[in-house]
Amino acid sequence: MILYTVIPCYNEEEVLPQTAEILSNKYRALIEAGLISKESRILFVDDGSKDRTWEMISDYHGKNPFFSGVKLSRNRGHQNALFAGLMEAAKCCDAAVSIDADLQDDVDAIDKMIVKFNEGCDVVYGVRDKRDSDKFLKRFTAEGYYRVMKFFGANVIFNHADFRLMSKRAIEALSEFGEVNLFLRGMVPMLGFKNGVVYYERRPRLAGESKYTVKKMLDLAWNGITSFSTRPIDMILFGGLFVSGAALFAMLVFLVLLIFGISVGGTGWIIASVFLCCGTNLAALGVVGEYVGKAYIETKHRPKYIIEEIIK
């Protein structure tokens, strides 16, 4: 089989030397074991890096035939960069593995993924069975993230990020998804092909710092929720009905008290209730506006990315 490994890169000059060495050694071992073809490649996708990332990728390509690269015209984000790499890989490969440049995902799990692929799986998910290398806050927020996604109706694999193997036909099926707001963790399970799971232990980052800030993680989570679920709107509807019912009940209570000549005070409570209702309405409008805004962006049919240069 011809295997491509797709690696999105954004300002990864610190970690690339180790990543390139580890992956090239892995490819040699896989070729010697007869698991992959010599035509297999390691495809780096430069997502508009501002450091020497693309220069280094070009150097690796000149020294080692395993390495190839795609340079995007500007930064488009991790999901778009990964999608671009998969689309390029599908032109030549039988299957492609996606993995982050920091190699916190265990490259030795690729062997097991290939076995699953040979057993007929079109998608093989890499799932973390341990997060011992993560700090408590990172581990707590990451696991909470998957639970929140599940609660809001997004079909994601627990403790699976973007470390997976996909067959050529699975990638081609993925290319049929036309949305601009990509959330691959939710899109891939929707393909419906036979899939498998490989468990691995997450490792410390090789070098440099994670490019996924808290803001980016929150943006990714929100994008996943609003792209694959209308449950937030349902919650607004039921929340509105509840508040309306509570207000109606309160009005009836006040009316009964007035009928019996009981003075009703509590101006502060009334003012607080008004502010609460106003805040709830604004929040509701914001959530609905998010969906409307996404629909507006999708109707423009703008390209997900623009490729500036390819080295094969």
Side-chain angles (χ1 to χ4, degrees):
M1 64 177 290
I2 298 176
L3 179 72
Y4 269 56
T5 299
V6 179
I7 307 137
C9 302
Y10 179 66
N11 295 340
E12 297 288 3
E13 66 175 0
E14 292 183 55
V15 77
L16 271 185
Q18 297 179 65
T19 301
E21 181 181 359
I22 291 171
L23 285 175
S24 61
N25 290 337
K26 169 54 65 176
Y27 262 51
R28 289 190 185 95
L30 290 172
I31 291 171
E32 289 175 3
L35 291 175
I36 65 174
S37 163
K38 292 181 180 179
E39 301 301 315
S40 300
R41 293 290 181 268
I42 299 165
L43 177 61
F44 290 109
V45 183
D46 180 18
D47 186 23
S49 297
K50 298 176 182 178
D51 60 4
R52 296 179 57 253
T53 295
W54 180 247
E55 181 183 339
M56 295 172 70
I57 293 170
S58 300
D59 289 342
Y60 295 146
H61 171 71
K63 297 175 183 177
N64 191 326
F66 284 152
F67 297 112
S68 57
V70 172
K71 178 178 174 59
L72 303 188
S73 61
R74 68 181 182 89
N75 180 254
R76 293 295 298 160
H78 179 274
Q79 297 290 282
N80 284 301
L82 177 53
F83 188 86
L86 290 173
M87 294 306 109
E88 286 301 313
K91 298 175 182 178
C92 308
C93 73
D94 296 311
V97 171
S98 55
I99 191 169
D100 289 339
D102 57 19
L103 293 191
Q104 285 190 276
D105 301 317
D106 186 6
V107 296
D108 290 333
I110 295 176
D111 304 56
K112 300 176 184 177
M113 290 180 171
I114 294 172
V115 171
K116 292 280 186 181
F117 171 78
N118 291 331
E119 291 174 354
C121 292
D122 282 283
V123 180
V124 184
Y125 300 103
V127 176
R128 302 161 185 165
D129 58 356
K130 292 181 181 179
R131 282 183 173 270
D132 294 341
S133 63
D134 290 341
K135 295 180 180 179
F136 171 76
L137 181 61
K138 171 69 175 177
R139 185 166 60 249
F140 176 78
T141 54
E143 293 181 352
Y145 161 82
Y146 291 103
R147 292 187 174 90
V148 169
M149 293 294 295
K150 204 75 173 178
F151 172 78
F152 280 104
N155 183 25
V156 295
I157 308 299
F158 186 77
N159 266 340
H160 164 72
D162 287 300
F163 182 37
R164 69 180 74 88
L165 178 146
M166 298 180 67
S167 68
K168 181 183 180 73
R169 74 164 181 168
I171 299 172
E172 290 174 343
L174 183 65
S175 70
E176 298 296 321
F177 286 70
E179 59 255 49
V180 175
N181 297 287
L182 296 180
F183 184 67
L184 297 177
R185 302 178 195 184
M187 293 165 64
V188 173
M190 294 177 67
L191 297 176
F193 293 124
K194 181 180 178 181
N195 62 78
V197 172
V198 167
Y199 294 94
Y200 68 96
E201 185 174 348
R202 185 172 172 81
R203 298 177 175 182
R205 183 180 174 89
L206 291 177
E209 297 180 353
S210 174
K211 305 305 182 295
Y212 256 115
T213 61
V214 174
K215 180 181 182 301
K216 287 185 177 180
M217 284 296 295
L218 291 174
D219 287 343
L220 181 66
W222 183 244
N223 185 43
I225 292 169
T226 54
S227 295
F228 290 88
S229 174
T230 57
R231 187 166 292 181
I233 294 181
D234 296 335
M235 293 174 66
I236 289 173
L237 171 61
F238 289 110
L241 291 174
F242 174 79
V243 172
S244 298
L248 180 61
F249 177 76
M251 290 173 64
L252 290 174
V253 170
F254 287 146
L255 181 61
V256 170
L257 291 175
L258 287 173
I259 291 174
F260 285 94
I262 301 174
S263 177
V264 180
T267 304
W269 284 101
I270 296 174
I271 294 174
S273 300
V274 170
F275 275 95
L276 175 63
C277 290
C278 290
T280 303
N281 286 335
L282 287 173
L285 285 172
V287 173
V288 174
E290 181 73 18
Y291 281 91
V292 173
K294 282 202 168 187
Y296 171 68
I297 292 172
E298 295 290 347
T299 58
K300 291 177 178 290
H301 300 292
R302 289 174 176 169
K304 300 178 183 68
Y305 54 86
I306 297 174
I307 294 178
E308 180 177 325
E309 187 178 348
I310 297 177
I311 50 176
K312 297 183 179 180

